[in-house]
Amino acid sequence: MKLRLLTAVAALVLTAPLAPAAPALAAPGVLPGAVPAHAPYAVPAALPVTSAALAAPDVPLANVKAHLTQLQSIATANGGNRAHGRPGYLASANYVKGLLDAAGFTTQLQSFTYNSATGYNVIADWPGGDSNDILMVGAHLDSVTAGPGINDNGSGSAAILETALLVARQGLQPTKHLRFAWWGAEEGGLRGSQYYVNNLPAADRSRIKGYLNFDMVASPNAGYFIYDGDNSDGVGSGPGPSGSAQLEQVLQEYFTSIGVPTRGTDFDGRSDYGPFISVGIPAGGTFTGAEGTKSSAQASLWGGTAGQAFDSCYHRSCDTTANINDTALDRNADAVAYAVWTIATAVPPVTVWSDTFETATGWTTNPSGTDTATTGLWERGDPEATDSSGAKQLGTTVSGSNDLVTGRLAGASAGDYDVDGGVTSVRSPAITLPTGTLRLSLSWYLAHGSNSSSADYFRVSVVGATTSTVLQQPGAATDRDAAWATATADISSFAGQTVRILIEAADASTASLVEAGVDDVKITR
């Protein structure tokens, strides 16, 4: 892990927090079981994981420690370190590459130049999986010049190396494509990982749907930290790119399963996730602490000694194989394998039904013949933008040219074609649902002026043998500008039924301005 005085890399894209368990009826503005997300909605195809993932193996601690012994021997034979530009680093890279070559990985030593010396990244791809859906797992392999760097970061390097070798031993056939990386010159400022990301064509970057980073996972006075993908701790540089919260959740699931409490650690730019999050690639990982001091509260939580550093040998010559906490190393190595198996073998959701509104598919306005609105009736079309103290009807859609909108024209003023006089509704064609776990997702907005009230609303219901309201957003006496949001709901209770989706918007306040839109409705299994 590099020194704190290096410039941090800030996360660029916000991600929504995870929602609590769903009530029987949605709270206002929230779908049951939903994760509301602010536009742009960009959760990668690799996430979320599903229950179809294969169970992860136990990573043998003895094997991980054997790799550390080899890295220690390499350092001892090469001036006491494995630093960038020194012979100990290249020997370390060749050790890792040799094992991966023999195991059946496709590997390369990617060279780069930093500080007038040649550095190397080891990149290893496991054959198979969707090449457009890549899960990448990385750790930096170099040490500082002062010592052999066995905790920092032989520990992360050995943990992901043994996980990769387990992939080969089990002949894993993941749904995602698996790529492992050991970075050079991290201690000089993330030089190897930055070189890798900078030299990826944009199309190749877009194929990496998640990056997991493991840097210092066996600190002797260990803490158990997970990169805070959704900024649930509410401090520091904020959340990672959309999808980081799901990576955090997977790692959290593992530690919860073994009864080990964790705390969030910030994306502060000190390790190799930095270049990935800077280009919007979701990231996550674990960390057991560096030069920071363990607090009394942390000692009560995890044991160890309060008032002492998590790793008192951080960046020192004493960072040897004697500087390893076996329990922390064992737990974190298993966490690496759990994340890899859970994410990489998960079966992506299958689309049961979808509508982007680019063509007419049989939606019916006023299906019950009870609508009362006189203008702003739901229609499919290319919307025109309106503005009244801010955007009220969006002229841009989530995809394509058309959406469902309450009166697509702008008119001479913002209120010409908004919802007036009561309720307008539109209903989907009949949708026959299969059995299994089903989720409904849609992009939507509700906008209104400050003359609105809770009598106004936007509502989505699923109508089958019963009717369930899955989203209800009431108005309020405040200005609400239009902005696309995306939400999902569990509709598994309708499995095996033929259902319709009913969407309503209402102007039931006096002289209020109400606009609403819907796009990209989808049901997945």
Side-chain angles (χ1 to χ4, degrees):
M1 178 162 282
K2 73 185 182 69
L3 293 170
R4 187 174 294 277
L5 55 82
L6 291 170
T7 302
V9 180
L12 300 180
V13 184
L14 297 179
T15 187
L18 293 171
L25 187 65
V30 179
L31 291 168
V35 183
H38 300 289
Y41 184 68
V43 174
L47 300 169
V49 297
T50 75
S51 59
L54 298 179
D58 179 67
V59 179
L61 176 62
N63 291 7
V64 181
K65 293 190 70 176
H67 299 312
L68 296 181
T69 299
Q70 290 297 318
L71 294 177
Q72 176 71 66
S73 296
I74 289 169
T76 301
N78 290 279
N81 67 70
R82 302 179 301 101
H84 166 73
R86 305 294 179 90
Y89 180 76
L90 182 55
S92 300
N94 284 331
Y95 168 73
V96 170
K97 184 177 186 300
L99 291 175
L100 295 166
D101 285 340
F105 281 82
T106 300
T107 66
Q108 62 168 313
L109 280 180
Q110 182 186 49
S111 63
F112 60 93
T113 301
Y114 166 63
N115 204 19
S116 301
T118 301
Y120 300 93
N121 295 323
V122 182
I123 310 296
D125 286 84
W126 182 242
D130 185 351
S131 61
N132 291 311
D133 187 358
I134 299 171
L135 174 66
M136 198 162 182
V137 184
H140 77 86
L141 186 56
D142 63 314
S143 73
V144 292
T145 56
I150 299 305
N151 183 38
D152 184 16
N153 180 42
S155 61
S157 292
I160 73 167
L161 175 57
E162 188 58 28
T163 299
L165 296 177
L166 274 170
V167 167
R169 289 187 205 113
Q170 291 202 357
L172 191 67
Q173 297 181 15
T175 306
K176 282 70 173 160
H177 180 77
L178 273 175
R179 179 174 298 159
F180 293 83
W182 290 260
W183 308 116
E186 187 269 359
E187 299 292 2
L190 318 183
R191 304 295 176 169
S193 57
Q194 188 70 67
Y195 180 86
Y196 174 81
V197 171
N198 284 353
N199 285 276
L200 278 177
D204 289 342
R205 285 182 187 175
S206 70
R207 295 184 179 103
I208 301 173
K209 306 302 185 183
Y211 171 70
L212 293 169
N213 189 73
F214 299 93
D215 187 354
M216 300 182 68
V217 296
S219 302
N221 193 25
Y224 291 89
F225 299 101
I226 298 175
Y227 292 116
D228 192 15
D230 61 358
N231 200 31
S232 56
D233 282 3
V235 297
S237 63
S242 180
S244 298
Q246 287 92 333
L247 295 173
E248 178 188 11
Q249 180 185 18
V250 171
L251 290 164
Q252 182 63 63
E253 285 172 357
Y254 170 73
F255 284 101
T256 298
S257 74
I258 63 171
V260 175
T262 63
R263 292 294 183 265
T265 186
D266 197 48
F267 283 120
D268 60 4
R270 292 186 67 186
S271 196
D272 291 297
Y273 53 77
F276 289 87
I277 66 175
S278 72
V279 295
I281 296 172
T286 65
F287 171 52
T288 55
E291 80 279 23
T293 301
K294 179 177 277 188
S295 69
S296 297
Q298 290 168 334
S300 297
L301 191 66
W302 296 313
T305 306
Q308 291 188 9
F310 293 100
D311 183 357
S312 59
C313 287
Y314 175 70
H315 284 189
R316 297 174 58 195
S317 61
C318 56
D319 187 8
T320 66
T321 50
N323 190 47
I324 292 294
N325 181 321
D326 283 1
T327 300
L329 181 62
D330 191 26
R331 288 169 173 171
N332 278 277
D334 286 341
V336 176
Y338 180 88
V340 168
W341 259 254
T342 301
I343 297 169
T345 70
V347 177
V350 175
T351 299
V352 172
W353 181 88
S354 66
D355 199 341
T356 62
F357 303 106
E358 294 309 294
T359 59
T361 59
W363 289 74
T364 304
T365 56
N366 191 16
S368 299
T370 57
D371 288 2
T372 54
T374 55
T375 63
L377 309 185
W378 284 108
E379 61 178 310
R380 183 186 68 84
D382 186 353
E384 297 179 354
T386 67
D387 187 286
S388 176
S389 300
K392 290 300 179 286
Q393 179 164 288
L394 296 177
T396 56
T397 63
V398 176
S399 66
S401 301
N402 298 327
D403 62 1
L404 275 184
V405 61
T406 51
R408 72 175 189 85
L409 298 178
S413 66
D416 282 356
Y417 292 98
D418 75 312
V419 182
D420 278 326
V423 177
T424 177
S425 64
V426 62
R427 190 180 67 188
S428 75
I431 306 165
T432 300
L433 299 177
T435 59
T437 300
L438 301 171
R439 296 187 73 81
L440 167 68
S441 67
L442 69 153
S443 296
W444 66 280
Y445 68 82
L446 172 69
H448 53 69
S450 58
N451 55 357
S452 179
S453 77
S454 59
D456 301 333
Y457 62 83
F458 172 82
R459 181 185 296 159
V460 179
S461 304
V462 177
V463 181
T466 58
T467 297
S468 177
T469 298
V470 294
L471 185 149
Q472 178 150 322
Q473 177 64 58
T478 57
D479 186 76
R480 179 187 177 103
D481 291 338
W484 285 112
T486 305
T488 62
D490 189 331
I491 59 168
S492 302
S493 61
F494 290 93
Q497 298 183 29
T498 296
V499 302
R500 297 177 190 267
I501 299 166
L502 178 66
I503 301 173
E504 300 168 276
D507 167 24
S509 299
T510 301
S512 56
L513 192 160
V514 176
E515 298 278 14
V518 173
D519 205 356
D520 289 7
V521 181
K522 182 185 293 186
I523 297 174
T524 57
R525 180 175 63 179

